[in-house]
Each structure stands twice: as C-alpha cells, then as structure tokens.
Amino acid sequence: MCGIAGQFALNGEDADAALVGAMAQRLAHRGPDGEGTFFSGPIGLAHRRLAIIDLSDEGRQPMENEDGTLQIVFNGEIYNYPEIREELSAAGHRFSSATDTEVILHAYEEWGRDCLARFNGMWAFALWDGRRRELFCARDRLGVKPFYYTMAGGSFLFASEIKALRAHPGVGRRPNDRMLSTFLAWGVADHTAETMYDGIFQLPPAHTVVISAEGVGEPERYWDFAMNPAPGGAEDEAAARDVRALLTDAVRLRLRSDVPVGTCLSGGIDSSTVTALINALLQAECPGSVGERQKTFSVCFDDPRFDESRHIDVVVAATNVASRRTTPGTDGLWEDIERLLYMQDEPFASLSIYAQYCVMRLASGEVKVVLDGQGADEQLGGYIAYQAPYIRGLLRCGNVLAALREGVGSVRHHRSFFSWAAAQSRVRSERRELLRGSPPEVLRYAGSLEEVLKREVTASNLPLLLHWEDRNSMAFSIEARVPFLDYRLVEYLGSLPLDQKIRGGVTKYVLRRAIRGLVPDAVRCRMDKMGFVTPEEVWMKGELAPCILELFSTPEFAERPYWDAERVLENYRAFLEGESPYSTEFWRIACAEMWLRQFDA
C-alpha cells in the first residue's frame, strides 16, 4: 500500500521534477517507509512506500524490468502473486525481488494488458512502456484503491489522492457545483467519474486508460459481473458451503504479509465473520503475519444507543482474540474532524466515519495491515432498506404469496426501523427545502433488488465507503484489506437467487447459514445493524453546537449559492431547542462549508 503520483507532459516539454516531488510530498502519510522518483523526458513518476511485502530495498519504487523499458508505480496488493510468480518463472522470467510489484511487471511482459485478468487483489498503478511510449494506468475491479487524474498545462497528472493533484497551481481551484449540490441533497459521492473538484476525475473501478503523445484515451472496462440470479436457484446447504469456502480462501490470501496484521471488529456479522475465520486459519495454518493471537480493534461509546461492546464481548469470548478498544472523547473533537476532512479531500455525509478513523488510529500503534467486513451488505442485501425493492420485485413478477411472506417477516424483524425510517424520510424531505438549485435526483432503491444491489456495489454506495476507508486507514499509514470483495466471491454472490440474500425478512441469509458454528449465534442471528457509528446527533446538539452555530452565522456561509443560510440557521436553532428533530442535512451542510473554505483561503 502506497501513494503514487506522476506527470506525462503532452506539450513536448520535460516532466516538472519540482511539481512531481511536491505531489509526492502530499502523499507522505500513505508511504512513510521510503520514496523514489523516475524521470525520462515527458514522464515523471513518484512513489511513497508503505512496506508490506518484501521489506528490503529491493521493493522500492518506481520499479523497472531487466532492460529498463518498463517502469511502474503501484499502490495495492496482488494477493495471489506467489502463484503468478511461479507460472511466470516456469515461462522463463527471472525475479530479483520477492515483491508483488515485480510480478506485475513480468505479467505485463508476458500477457500485456490482459495480465489484469490474472490478478486477485486491489490495485491502482501507472506503468510506463518505454517501447510503446505509452502510460498504461489501471484500477482494481471494485475500486478499492483510488486513482485520480486531471489535465493541466498540457500535462496528464495522476495521484492517489486529490490533494496531490492540487499541488499544481491550476488544478482543483473551483468546486464542481453539480456534484456538490447532489451531495448536499442526497448524501452521495463517488457515484460517477467526476469529483467535487471541477476538472478532477477518478478512473472508474475495473477500468484502464492509456496515455500517449496523441493524448488521453477513453477509459475502458476490463471486467464486470452480473447481479443476475441463476435460473433454478441453489440449494441452501450447497450455497452456504460455497460461500464459506470462497470467503475462507479470500481471508487466507489477505493474510499474506511481511508485517503484522490485525482485524477491525465492530460487533456486526461481517467483521465478526472475518475475525472468526482468521482465528480458524490461525489454529489450522498458523499464518505468521497474525502472530500467535489475533489482535482486533474496536470503537465503543458510553451511550448504550451507539455502543456494541456486548456483541464485541461475545466474539472475543468465543475466539480469545486480543481486544483493543477506543472510546472517542469530545476533547479535540473539532480538530480531529478538521484533519479528517483534510484526509478525505471531499465533504463526507455523516460523522459515522469518524468512528472508523478512531479505530485506524488505535490500530496504527500495533499493526500495519487490517482486515474488515466492508462490502458484504451491498452484495447480500444487508441494509434493511433493501427489503422494499425485494418485495416490490416479487409483486411485479406476480409472486404475491412470497411478497406477503417477506412483508410479514420484515415487519416482524424490523418494525422499529421502518417507523424510524418513515419519520426520517419526512424530516429529510422537508430539510431539502433548505437547499437551492435542482440537483439530479438520486434514487438508491429504485428498480428491482438485482438492479439496486448492482448499483450499490458499483456506484451508489460501496465506492463511497471504500473512499472513506482508504483515506481513514492511510491517514495512519495502515493498509486496509476487504475479503468480501474478492472478485471470485463477488461473482458467485451475484449468481445466487435473491432468496439466498433475503428470506422472510432475514438479511444475509446465505452468510448466516455459512457461518453457523463459526460465529456465536448471539451475533450470527442478530437483526439490528449498527456498524461503526457515532453519536452524531448528540454531538451536534452538544459539544459541536458552538462550532456549528459559528459556522452557520458567518458572512461567507450566508453568501453561498447552495443553501438558504437564514433558514439553515433557523432550523438548526430549532433543533438545538428541542423544537424539531435531527437529520444529517445539518452535518452535510456544515461539512460542505468547511470544505468550501479551502477555495477561499
């Protein structure tokens, strides 16, 4: 895991070493273990290293092949690199390091751009092919690792984070009004190739782009998956067995490391599953990167409405893991949030990601790699809001009895959620009137469940969660790995019938069966869902209230074209006085204002 940056001057000039160096410096937190550059005419490549595989100097980047015709800067991990290396060695390739980076170089030599199909991992890389005079850039299938780019001064610039691109004086100086307005209205981001900075884009997941003297090519998709249940369905036991096997192997691969590995444990089903699988592998195979006893990292709160200690305790008791926990206090909270916003580069939808930020800070004192359960909800119907499109789809297909069964099950298991969601929907609908303009409507739950889940994985939700996780982990120089996004598991889950995901109101049906006997039933069978949450409403009414009131009362805030400042302040004061309920629009507006001030500085 690292930070990458570079320049391809398309105007006939040489790459600007000072600019590329400044871009790399802004990524120092992503790679504190080393740095390197490569310059050759119009090409400049920079790398900040977080040493995970092959800690020797042989792993430094930019890395070249034997004759120097290929140069690469790479961020991520190719988990199956030993198997690919063995195949390449049999084909006559010779290796001078034990890195996965060198495997990419030789795989490109052997198979060209088709090498991507052989990789199981997460990656964003730029490979300079000196013979072709082309820069080949690629991003992993699910977009776990970031890749941003822009055109400025006749040059193609790329980097792992937007802040590095903004080292160029002409880049990222204006907000993208359309993306910002959509975020304010719907809380979404990362759902298109655009960012909230005008002129800065991201390479979409599962895409490549080639840059040559002729210019920047169109991004091309190299992989996709079908959220298309196979006809005839799958038997419960067979599906559960397959999911267990695929997930176990995904975790096994992601334990490959030359540095200590830990686990983020929220107390939910997904992170508990990863924790339990690691423990089982530890007993069976003794993976050295974990040590004799697995370390888990969790966030807890004094307020029981947001605390999952009792679920964490159940998992810890069953696995005997070493449990590390943090309870975020309110001292320095505002300063923490300001740094969090800087690390994220763009405004974020809720303070829930602050809990993850605190977990990564805790883990950084003991490990350099963590595994977690990201990506299971979007594939397995884990959010309760997915129940509605499922029932709607059953009705459209004429399966009235099945729809009735699901409706009854949803009410039985999630009655309190539906009451809360209905109330919040009304409040949020009213609060959108605080905003100005007409942003595009984003309906996350429109269409059939198959359409919703595919969209959630590829656009409307998971990309944003992965963005937050990458920046939160890298803020503390930690590599985060997500076994639920192993592409083999993604393809398999996409092929399963919908009733393997939701059945009788029970979410993640096949996963719950797959982990029977592995995860304690008190966690495996729980129907409430929290994850890494924070007491946002409590903070916004208490510790953060003076800062938010000051923010909403400034002349700069009043002059923004995105909201009605007077009504925002009036509504927020009504919330503070207990006259109206809370909704996350308050935080989104406050976060956006904090972010906008960097353009005024």
Side-chain angles (χ1 to χ4, degrees):
M1 189 72 64
C2 307
I4 63 174
Q7 175 187 16
F8 190 166
L10 304 178
N11 54 8
E13 299 180 358
D14 288 345
D16 184 339
L19 170 62
V20 174
M23 292 167 65
Q25 183 57 38
R26 294 193 179 192
L27 300 174
H29 55 281
R30 298 184 71 93
D33 298 332
E35 57 185 313
T37 56
F38 168 81
F39 292 95
S40 178
I43 284 292
L45 302 177
H47 186 262
R48 294 292 311 211
R49 186 186 185 198
L50 181 64
I52 303 294
I53 300 292
D54 188 350
L55 309 185
S56 74
D57 286 344
E58 297 303 320
R60 62 188 180 275
Q61 297 183 43
M63 185 177 289
E64 65 181 14
N65 63 343
E66 295 96 326
D67 61 9
T69 57
L70 301 179
Q71 298 279 343
I72 189 173
V73 284
F74 161 54
N75 169 33
E77 300 289 350
I78 307 301
Y79 302 121
N80 63 334
Y81 76 96
E83 290 80 9
I84 299 175
R85 177 189 173 114
E86 185 176 342
E87 184 178 358
L88 289 167
S89 294
H93 291 265
R94 297 293 175 263
F95 291 83
S96 59
S97 76
T99 66
D100 53 343
T101 308
E102 191 178 7
V103 168
I104 297 176
L105 284 171
H106 287 287
Y108 180 83
E109 287 179 322
E110 183 70 19
W111 301 301
R113 299 172 192 171
D114 292 338
C115 65
L116 299 176
R118 297 172 181 264
F119 299 158
N120 186 342
M122 54 182 182
W123 64 82
F125 67 75
L127 189 154
W128 171 243
D129 188 330
R131 290 196 183 100
R132 293 176 176 268
R133 308 297 293 173
E134 292 178 346
L135 187 68
F136 174 56
C137 306
R139 193 175 178 202
D140 65 70
R141 295 175 181 87
L142 279 306
V144 180
K145 293 294 98 193
F147 189 100
Y148 294 98
Y149 68 92
T150 190
M151 286 294 299
S155 288
F156 174 84
L157 306 175
F158 71 89
S160 296
E161 296 181 14
I162 292 172
K163 61 179 65 66
L165 295 177
R166 297 186 78 236
H168 188 290
V171 171
R173 302 303 144 185
R174 296 185 305 276
N176 182 332
D177 288 344
R178 180 175 60 257
M179 290 292 286
L180 180 57
S181 295
T182 303
F183 164 79
L184 288 167
W186 303 103
V188 298
D190 289 271
H191 57 295
T192 75
E194 293 184 68
T195 70
M196 291 193 213
Y197 294 85
D198 186 43
I200 296 180
F201 302 89
Q202 57 181 318
L203 185 63
H207 277 70
T208 64
V209 66
V210 177
I211 302 91
S212 67
E214 283 69 45
V216 181
E218 286 295 319
E220 296 184 1
R221 177 176 288 279
Y222 65 85
W223 176 84
D224 201 357
F225 74 100
M227 190 67 75
N228 184 21
E235 294 184 2
D236 287 355
E237 292 305 320
R241 185 172 58 250
D242 290 345
V243 168
R244 174 81 167 258
L246 284 167
L247 187 53
T248 299
D249 196 55
V251 170
R252 179 186 292 109
L253 286 181
R254 283 157 182 79
L255 291 176
R256 289 176 168 174
S257 170
D258 293 332
V259 298
V261 176
T263 315
C264 294
L265 175 60
S266 71
I269 296 172
D270 309 329
S271 65
S272 298
T273 296
V274 173
T275 300
L277 283 173
I278 292 175
N279 227 47
L281 288 168
L282 181 63
Q283 295 173 10
E285 303 176 14
C286 298
S289 58
V290 175
E292 294 182 0
R293 191 180 181 200
Q294 182 184 177
K295 294 179 180 179
T296 63
F297 304 93
S298 308
V299 65
C300 302
F301 294 97
D302 296 329
D303 191 326
R305 292 175 297 172
F306 311 104
D307 185 53
E308 295 209 73
S309 293
R310 65 189 186 280
H311 300 299
I312 295 169
D313 290 341
V314 169
V315 177
V316 171
T319 57
N320 194 35
V321 297
S323 177
R324 308 287 192 262
R325 308 186 192 191
T326 181
T327 301
T330 55
D331 291 342
L333 177 60
W334 188 250
E335 290 75 17
D336 266 359
I337 290 172
E338 289 180 330
R339 182 176 188 265
L340 175 57
L341 178 57
Y342 171 77
M343 286 299 173
Q344 290 293 329
D345 277 324
E346 298 174 283
F348 47 92
S350 81
L351 282 172
S352 63
I353 71 167
Y354 179 61
Q356 186 185 61
Y357 177 88
C358 293
V359 167
M360 296 301 178
R361 178 165 56 191
L362 173 67
S364 66
E366 300 195 46
V367 300
K368 292 182 75 171
V369 176
V370 294
L371 274 66
D372 69 25
Q374 198 75 270
D377 288 312
E378 292 78 9
Q379 299 181 73
L380 287 161
Y383 296 119
I384 300 169
Y386 295 148
Q387 308 267 336
Y390 185 33
I391 294 170
R392 186 169 59 239
L394 291 171
L395 288 173
R396 287 177 178 172
C397 294
N399 296 329
V400 178
L401 290 178
L404 181 61
R405 181 182 65 247
E406 291 302 325
V408 170
S410 294
V411 171
R412 182 172 68 250
H413 293 303
H414 315 294
R415 184 190 304 272
S416 61
F417 168 81
F418 288 116
S419 299
W420 171 85
Q424 279 291 297
S425 180
R426 289 192 296 272
V427 173
R428 288 172 177 170
S429 179
E430 295 170 0
R431 292 268 158 80
R432 286 195 191 100
E433 295 180 2
L434 302 178
L435 305 174
R436 291 174 174 160
S438 301
E441 191 173 29
V442 178
L443 300 177
R444 283 179 59 184
Y445 306 112
S448 66
L449 183 59
E450 299 101 308
E451 294 169 331
V452 170
L453 295 182
K454 178 66 179 288
R455 189 165 59 242
E456 288 280 88
V457 171
T458 60
S460 58
N461 199 55
L462 183 59
L464 181 55
L465 297 179
L466 293 173
H467 173 142
W468 293 344
E469 179 164 48
D470 174 81
R471 305 312 183 279
N472 276 341
S473 61
M474 295 310 298
F476 300 101
S477 305
I478 285 183
E479 174 174 299
R481 298 178 174 181
V482 282
F484 277 100
L485 296 184
D486 187 299
Y487 78 97
R488 300 167 301 170
L489 182 60
V490 172
E491 291 174 348
Y492 181 76
L493 293 178
S495 73
L496 288 179
L498 295 179
D499 70 351
Q500 291 290 346
K501 300 169 185 181
I502 301 175
R503 186 179 299 184
V506 176
T507 62
K508 303 179 186 175
Y509 181 80
V510 67
L511 178 62
R512 293 176 193 269
R513 292 184 65 90
I515 60 176
R516 181 181 293 169
L518 177 72
V519 174
D521 284 353
V523 172
R524 184 181 72 87
C525 299
R526 62 179 293 200
M527 292 296 168
D528 58 324
K529 177 174 177 55
M530 291 177 67
F532 287 135
V533 297
T534 58
E536 176 176 305
E537 179 178 346
V538 175
W539 288 346
M540 289 290 282
K541 198 168 189 174
E543 287 79 8
L544 294 180
C547 298
I548 301 298
L549 278 172
E550 181 181 356
L551 201 67
F552 287 172
S553 302
T554 59
E556 297 94 334
F557 184 80
E559 294 170 1
R560 304 294 185 197
Y562 309 106
W563 46 68
D564 185 326
E566 186 175 341
R567 292 187 64 189
V568 170
L569 183 57
E570 178 185 337
N571 270 253
Y572 183 62
R573 281 178 170 155
F575 157 68
L576 293 180
E577 294 166 5
E579 297 174 359
S580 67
Y582 181 74
S583 67
T584 55
E585 278 74 13
F586 288 138
W587 169 254
R588 292 206 297 267
I589 291 171
C591 191
E593 172 61 23
M594 293 170 64
W595 176 75
L596 285 164
R597 293 187 177 204
Q598 68 184 298
F599 294 101
D600 301 330

